[in-house]
């Protein structure tokens, strides 16, 4: 993706603030510059994708093995969204989060831009009885963070006993299991 | 009646697991597996943060070593600078020693500082003593002391009046001192056969002539502050008379109660010991000051002179 294409994509402040707050809650960003950057974010603004990338870099540059950290950030974001944000009113139970997140109020409500730039976050497969779903993501966001988002969103309502999300051979396919 | 998993867990009795329905047993299976998964994710997260912590500590250690190295270099430099500044301080000139007895206490707050004193030869075979306090402390002020010394050394061959000397130095140093945002107090005394002449801008002078005492008129401006003429004053200075020249380091230091050591107290100590050798008078002043003050807060220069 070119810088120009990236610049045509906007990310909503709620997502930025959610990510930033998760980082602060987990104490995983250090330094005054990082905290100044985070503190300047406003929940109702739209930010260029590059600002999101800067936010991601605060974490990425600090960890040699960043994947488990990004999963945890995603989980923490969604726990915050559910317990302290609008999540509880929008999602009845864990499984329905998948429909929410892949629907019009989910991913697409927090990004703006040309479809080929913002990508998609679609449910390719869903079987409630077997507790299986497959999400196909082509967004510019980090897949490990998206795994965390799905785990956090599925777990937050507290009705599921088991939640896991794995990536297969195709890293854009997120395999969800929930019981 | 089968029990639910939550009921069994609430009763804290593992034997009741047998009373769980098949559906609840499945729930137990998934909950256990879910806990394992969650625990695995937590473990991965903490392992990663611990690795990060380890890397951070290693970086911190490296930075600490770097800082120690840099600090060592700075200390070494300062130590050299201290020796250079010490070497720039004067020794009592031969002709001075014939005529006057001198005691000096000079202490910079840090390795190098902004207090500077000097003994000068004048063209008429007379001599002069100068005491200066450059604004601020430390390296920048120390550099200015070297600059001022060079300026005074240059002018001493051409003038024999303190007014002429100080005005020339102020005029030729003015632009430079303004540029580097520094200024300096000045206390320049020339010794004539039966008296002294002085120019004082911010410096302290205390003279005892027989039973009379005089404090220097220090209404002149500091070096580097204004381009205005300086006023010169004269005082008698006969055999046995005593003159003390000092900067504000001692008199503005405070005790634990926030009270200044003060000009009055210093002058009293000098007067009390006026009949002792000059070096002893200086030592008494330092003793009294050291017992009084909570801590040094500025560079200190005290020179006591007696006409033989």
């Amino acid at each position: 993706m070119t810088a120009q294409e990236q610049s045509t994509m906007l990310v909503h402040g709620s997502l930025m603030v959610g990510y930033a707050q998760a980082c602060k809650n987990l104490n995983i960003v250090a330094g005054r510059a990082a905290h100044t950057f985070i503190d300047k974010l406003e929940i109702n603004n739209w930010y260029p994708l590059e600002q999101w990338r800067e936010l991601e870099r605060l974490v990425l540059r600090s960890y040699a093995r960043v994947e488990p950290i990004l999963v945890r950030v995603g989980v923490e974001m969604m726990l915050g969204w559910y317990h302290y944000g609008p999540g509880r009113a929008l999602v009845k139970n864990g499984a329905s989060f998948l429909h929410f997140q892949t629907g019009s109020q989910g991913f697409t409500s927090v990004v703006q831009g040309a479809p080929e730039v913002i990508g998609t976050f679609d449910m390719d497969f869903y079987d409630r009885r077997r507790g299986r779903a497959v999400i196909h993501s082509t967004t510019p966001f980090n897949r490990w963070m998206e795994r965390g988002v799905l785990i956090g969103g599925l777990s937050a309502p507290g009705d599921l006993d088991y939640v896991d999300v794995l990536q297969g051979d195709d890293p854009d396919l997120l395999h969800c299991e929930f019981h | 009646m089968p029990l639910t998993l939550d009921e069994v867990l609430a009763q804290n009795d593992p034997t009741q697991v047998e009373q769980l329905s098949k559906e609840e047993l499945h729930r137990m299976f998934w909950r256990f597996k879910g806990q394992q998964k969650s625990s695995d994710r937590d473990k991965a997260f903490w392992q990663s943060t611990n690795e990060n912590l380890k890397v951070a500590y290693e970086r911190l250690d490296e930075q600490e070593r770097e800082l120690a190295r840099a600090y060592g270099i700075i200390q070494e430099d300062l130590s050299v600078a201290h020796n250079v500044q010490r070497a720039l301080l004067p020794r009592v000139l031969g002709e001075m020693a014939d005529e006057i007895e001198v005691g000096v206490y000079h202490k910079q707050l840090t390795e190098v500082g902004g207090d500077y004193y000097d003994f000068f030869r004048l063209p008429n075979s007379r001599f002069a003593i100068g005491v200066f306090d450059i604004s601020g402390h430390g390296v920048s002020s120390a550099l200015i002391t070297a600059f001022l010394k060079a300026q005074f050394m240059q002018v001493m061959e051409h003038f024999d009046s303190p007014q002429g000397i100080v005005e020339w130095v102020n005029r030729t140093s003015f632009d430079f001192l303004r540029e580097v945002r520094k200024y300096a107090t000045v206390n320049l005394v020339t010794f004539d056969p039966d008296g002294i002449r002085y120019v004082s801008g911010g410096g302290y002078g205390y003279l005892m002539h027989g039973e009379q005492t005089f404090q220097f008129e220090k209404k002149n401006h500091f070096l580097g502050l204004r381009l205005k003429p300086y006023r010169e004053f004269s005082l008698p200075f006969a055999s046995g008379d005593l003159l003390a020249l000092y900067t504000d380091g001692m008199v503005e230091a405070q005790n634990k109660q926030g009270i200044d050591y003060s000009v009055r107290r210093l002058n009293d100590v000098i007067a009390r010991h006026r009949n002792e050798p000059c070096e002893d008078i200086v030592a008494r002043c330092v003793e009294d000051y050291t017992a009084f003050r909570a801590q040094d807060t500025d560079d200190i220069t005290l020179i006591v002179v007696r006409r033989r």
Side-chain angles (χ1 to χ4, degrees):
Chain A
M1 186 180 292
T2 66
Q4 195 180 0
E5 282 171 336
Q6 284 195 10
S7 70
T8 61
M9 178 171 168
L10 297 174
V11 180
H12 194 251
S14 60
L15 189 60
M16 302 276 287
V17 171
Y19 186 96
Q21 191 58 48
C23 292
K24 282 174 101 170
N25 292 351
L26 295 168
N27 275 323
I28 56 167
V29 285
R32 195 149 36 118
H35 285 277
T36 305
F37 178 82
I38 286 172
D39 291 340
K40 278 185 184 166
L41 296 173
E42 293 197 18
I43 202 160
N44 293 320
N45 279 1
W46 286 92
Y47 294 90
L49 183 64
E50 184 45 38
Q51 293 261 329
W52 171 267
R53 291 276 180 249
E54 179 59 28
L55 196 54
E56 277 188 327
R57 277 194 290 271
L58 295 178
V59 178
L60 294 174
R61 69 181 175 213
S62 304
Y63 293 86
R65 203 160 59 86
V66 77
E67 295 83 1
I69 303 290
L70 290 171
V71 171
R72 185 65 179 265
V73 169
V75 172
E76 188 71 19
M77 271 172 76
M78 298 322 292
L79 293 179
W81 170 78
Y82 185 83
H83 293 292
Y84 305 106
R88 194 186 294 273
L90 297 169
V91 174
K92 291 193 192 99
N93 54 56
S96 68
F97 170 76
L98 295 177
H99 295 287
F100 170 84
Q101 188 63 2
T102 54
S104 62
Q105 288 182 290
F107 163 73
T108 51
S109 70
V110 290
V111 291
Q112 278 183 10
E116 65 275 19
V117 177
I118 63 172
T120 54
F121 197 74
D122 295 330
M123 189 138 63
D124 276 6
F125 172 79
Y126 179 82
D127 183 339
R128 175 69 186 92
R129 195 181 58 78
R130 287 177 54 213
R132 301 276 173 166
V134 177
I135 308 293
H136 185 205
S137 172
T138 57
T139 73
F141 299 125
N142 185 288
R143 295 288 171 267
W144 289 86
M145 190 270 289
E146 287 185 330
R147 272 175 69 174
V149 165
L150 291 171
I151 293 167
L154 283 161
S155 308
D159 62 310
L160 293 171
D161 293 315
Y162 177 89
V163 169
D164 197 19
V165 178
L166 297 171
Q167 284 165 271
D169 294 335
D170 181 350
D172 289 343
L173 292 180
L174 300 168
H175 299 267
C176 308
E177 187 178 0
F178 48 95
H179 301 281
Chain B
M1 177 87 174
L3 295 173
T4 66
L5 180 57
D6 290 337
E7 285 167 344
V8 170
L9 290 173
Q11 288 177 28
N12 212 27
D13 180 2
T15 62
Q16 293 190 343
V17 170
E18 291 157 13
Q19 294 181 50
L20 287 173
S21 66
K22 191 178 170 189
E23 193 182 47
E24 287 296 291
L25 275 169
H26 285 181
R27 253 194 89 195
M28 189 169 78
F29 168 83
W30 284 119
R31 189 176 288 189
F32 178 74
K33 211 176 159 197
Q35 293 292 337
Q36 273 186 323
K37 273 283 168 193
S38 178
S39 167
D40 287 347
R41 284 192 292 267
D42 283 350
K43 195 172 151 192
F45 172 77
W46 289 116
Q47 271 176 348
S48 190
T49 52
N50 276 350
E51 282 164 18
N52 182 57
L53 209 56
K54 191 173 158 230
V55 171
Y57 276 127
E58 281 166 4
R59 280 184 197 158
L60 208 60
D61 278 350
E62 180 54 34
Q63 283 174 354
E64 208 171 286
R65 283 193 291 275
E66 275 295 315
L67 269 178
R69 272 196 291 273
Y71 184 72
I73 291 166
I74 291 168
Q75 279 302 111
E76 213 173 292
D77 263 359
L78 283 175
S79 171
V80 172
H82 171 81
N83 292 336
V84 169
Q85 200 172 33
R86 275 267 151 203
L88 287 175
L89 291 176
R91 290 188 179 83
V92 174
L93 306 167
E95 56 269 42
M96 269 177 74
D98 293 341
E99 213 171 294
I100 58 172
E101 176 200 348
V102 182
V104 177
Y105 179 74
H106 177 70
K107 184 186 178 192
Q108 308 284 24
L109 186 64
T110 52
E111 279 85 348
V112 290
D115 267 18
Y116 157 56
Y117 71 91
D118 218 335
F119 306 140
F120 304 105
R121 275 195 183 89
L122 299 177
N124 56 3
S125 303
R126 303 305 303 166
F127 55 88
I129 297 179
V131 177
F132 313 92
D133 178 3
I134 288 87
S135 53
H137 313 287
V139 175
S140 61
S141 299
L143 286 169
I144 305 298
T145 65
F147 167 79
L148 278 185
K149 183 178 178 82
Q151 295 295 99
F152 276 101
M153 295 301 281
Q154 202 179 337
V155 70
M156 288 298 168
E157 295 172 10
H158 307 293
F159 294 91
D160 58 10
S161 79
Q163 181 188 20
I165 294 164
V166 172
E167 277 186 13
W168 187 91
V169 169
N170 186 50
R171 196 167 56 250
T172 55
S173 312
F174 186 79
D175 289 342
F176 170 71
L177 291 175
R178 296 284 282 200
E179 189 182 333
V180 298
R181 295 165 184 267
K182 289 280 183 186
Y183 53 87
T185 68
V186 54
N187 217 354
L188 185 72
V189 181
T190 60
F191 290 80
D192 297 322
D194 54 356
I196 62 162
R197 285 176 288 154
Y198 71 89
V199 164
S200 180
Y204 294 86
Y206 179 58
L207 189 144
M208 279 169 284
H209 170 65
E211 296 304 311
Q212 286 182 289
T213 60
F214 302 92
Q215 290 198 44
F216 276 15
E217 290 283 348
K218 54 191 188 90
K219 290 175 185 164
N220 282 308
H221 46 284
F222 295 1
L223 290 173
L225 272 191
R226 290 187 190 86
L227 276 174
K228 272 172 50 181
Y230 279 84
R231 280 184 67 195
E232 180 179 300
F233 299 91
S234 301
L235 286 172
F237 193 55
S239 177
D241 288 355
L242 201 73
L243 170 66
L245 302 170
Y246 47 91
T247 56
D248 60 2
M250 263 188 185
V251 295
E252 290 182 2
Q254 296 183 333
N255 65 8
K256 283 178 184 162
Q257 287 74 45
I259 297 166
D260 280 7
Y261 183 68
S262 79
V263 168
R264 173 180 286 185
R265 179 157 177 158
L266 180 57
N267 288 348
D268 284 349
V269 177
I270 293 166
R272 226 172 20 251
H273 298 280
R274 68 174 291 180
N275 295 320
E276 296 176 23
C278 289
E279 284 186 359
D280 291 352
I281 296 172
V282 167
R284 298 292 87 75
C285 292
V286 173
E287 278 168 18
D288 188 65
Y289 161 78
T290 306
F292 177 89
R293 60 93 169 96
Q295 60 180 28
D296 293 334
T297 51
D298 200 353
D299 306 322
I300 294 170
T301 301
L302 168 65
I303 298 178
V304 175
V305 178
R306 178 185 286 113
R307 174 86 77 186
R308 292 188 192 277

